[in-house]
Amino acid sequence: MAIKANEISAILKSQIKNYDKEIKTEEVGIVITVADGIALVSGLDNVMLGELLMFQNKIQGMALNLEEDAVGVVILGNSSKIREDDIVKRTKKVIYTPVGDAMIGRVINSLGEPLDGKEKINSTKISEIFKVAPGVMSRKEVNEPLETGIIAIDSMIPIGKGQRELIIGDRQTGKTAIAIDTIVNQKEKNVYCVYVAIGQKNSTIAQIVKKLNEAGAMEYTSIVMATASDPAPLQYIAPYTGITIAEEWMNNGKDVLIIYDDLSKHAVAYRTLSLLLRRPPGREAFPGDVFYLHSQLLERAARVKKEYGGGSITALPIIETQAGDISAYIPTNVISITDGQIFMMSNLFNSGQRPAVDSGYSVSRVGSTAQIKAMKQVSSSLKLELAQYNEMAAFAQFGSDLDETTKKILNHGQKINEIIKQKQYRPINQYNQIILLLTLKERLLVDIPIKKIQKFKKEFINFINRDKKIKELISILKKIKEFDEKLKKDFIFIIDDFIKGFVRLLKNKKEIN
Ligand code: ATP
Ligand code: MG
């Protein structure tokens, strides 16, 4: 067989053309210095911001400072194993996490690796954690309530799906309790939850997981944790991992609730990182871009239009203040980024008014658009009445002779405070809340002494859940969603009857005279 010269050259040409495909090239860099969890690496010319890098010993790092002749890499693991001249490989992937329904019920770290001792996460989808928030055109109005089950909040500081509401207060004032109760209240409401724990103790998180499990809430909740003992970079990226998991659900039409507990510690972790990377310190030694960092994170909470998935992410960031100082740098930042704040007061907490929500300082800028009409009807005057009460109470402690109107205001205020007291892990459903508040609005509790209000509340809720007639009325209310005159009268009639019986019983037992 004769070989034609042009065939040979064609074969050669095609071989040469495919030649470079067979060579595997890897971009590698070399560690110049390593200290305090930061490595300076040279030779990674094409590296991306936030890219995941691999050191020897399978230790991961993240590129954060891209400079002309070196890259500042934060080490996401044990940095003591890294030496000078070690090789660093590019992964060409920005940090990512597995997402999707496989995340439900799981406890993971900031890199999406399971920490709960259960099987490997078998998610088919991964997603980069640093993303841009949905634009204005893809967003929808926030007007559906996200029920917390906490009467003080649902009535006076209503939260809507897609809203960002800050929980702020000193240490040990029940901030986490509000967040956890809200998660517990999402049971059977078709809302997924993500709890991001940043810089907390391991034992605290273990307690939270246990409580959520007991309440059956892990069936729709995923937990991302970076504890106080984890390196600062892991604490820094934890909330991004959390929101990325939430976003995947939102894009698939789900309503999601995400808690960041807490962003003060997140800011501290970022400050640590920035100072180690030798970025210039600003106010309170925080880097200037910490504001941008938090706004970028919180902007990712949204309610999107149907074309964009139709879901929502409601964010409840938590901020810890020092001695009630909300004018410090991080608190003012996050207050200005969110759509309102729930202010927790330590003096209320210590005096037994729990949840220690301060109705004066607290506000929801979405407000009553996130309430059903019936709730609006019974709760619209509460804030004002409490403000009047607080003002009067301050005076009344000096004077003894009080006129009738003042006495009424004081008495009513005390009753409001009693009604909105609530234990942990005991959410009250929307309609029971509404009926409880109706008793306040219509001044039906005048014959019950303050001390007996808690007892009344307990028995009254039992009554609501049991009594046929009131259940019928509630089902009407659920349908028309507001009180008309007749419905209100019917409710008052039954409630009055119950209260009369309750007072009679107290009198018979000589508990009151
Ligand atoms: P930290 O600053 O330590 O994170 P925190 O502000 O998150 O504290 P929590 O941990 O939620 O506060 O609550 C502090 C303590 O108060 C806990 O022991 C909790 O059980 C208790 N507590 C919180 N809310 C209530 C409540 N509504 N009724 C009774 N006890 C409560
Ligand atoms: Mg807490």
Side-chain angles (χ1 to χ4, degrees), residues 362-383:
S362 303
V363 56
S364 163
R365 275 170 219 138
V366 172
S368 54
T369 34
Q371 276 177 326
I372 60 169
K373 192 126 187 245
M375 180 59 112
K376 243 182 267 185
Q377 286 173 316
V378 293
S379 67
S380 56
S381 58
L382 273 184
K383 254 190 151 177

Side-chain angles (χ1 to χ4, degrees), residues 56 281 306 385:
Q56 289 171 338
K306 214 163 183 176
E385 286 161 3

